[in-house]
């Protein structure tokens, strides 16, 4: 039973991470369409770099969680 409870917790966190990984990307899309001048382009570029780093961290964690879930199922 403990195995299934742990798997349930991992799956819940996995779902949360999958959803959270898209938030930085969607924010960039919104920002892109509000660019009006060169200064806004530079700000967008800086923010895009940060948001992509955040999204990468979330996506990496999703991979870790998927591996953990596989280990629980295989073990």
């Amino acid at each position: 039973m403990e195995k299934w409870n742990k798997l349930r917790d991992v799956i819940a966190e996995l779902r949360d991470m999958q959803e959270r990984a898209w938030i930085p990307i969607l924010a960039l899309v919104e920002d892109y369409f509000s660019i009006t001048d060169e200064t806004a382009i530079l700000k967008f570029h800086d923010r895009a770099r940060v948001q992509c780093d955040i999204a990468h961290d979330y996506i990496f964690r999703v991979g870790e969680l998927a591996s953990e879930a596989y280990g629980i199922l295989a073990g």
Side-chain angles (χ1 to χ4, degrees):
M1 191 65 167
E2 184 178 329
K3 175 181 175 177
W4 297 114
N5 288 334
K6 186 171 182 176
L7 182 61
R8 185 191 66 226
D9 293 344
V10 168
I11 290 171
E13 188 178 351
L14 183 60
R15 285 183 181 148
D16 182 55
M17 284 290 130
Q18 286 178 317
E19 291 174 12
R20 291 172 63 186
W22 285 105
I23 292 170
I25 302 302
L26 294 175
L28 285 177
V29 171
E30 290 175 7
D31 289 352
Y32 177 79
F33 288 108
S34 66
I35 292 175
T36 57
D37 58 26
E38 188 173 335
T39 303
I41 291 171
L42 295 174
K43 286 181 183 178
F44 174 80
H45 183 265
D46 290 341
R47 185 158 186 249
R49 191 175 316 144
V50 171
Q51 294 294 65
C52 287
D53 286 345
I54 293 168
H56 176 268
D57 292 345
Y58 285 143
I59 292 167
F60 184 78
R61 180 67 181 137
V62 166
E64 290 178 335
L65 290 167
S67 293
E68 186 175 343
Y70 178 78
I72 291 169
L73 290 171

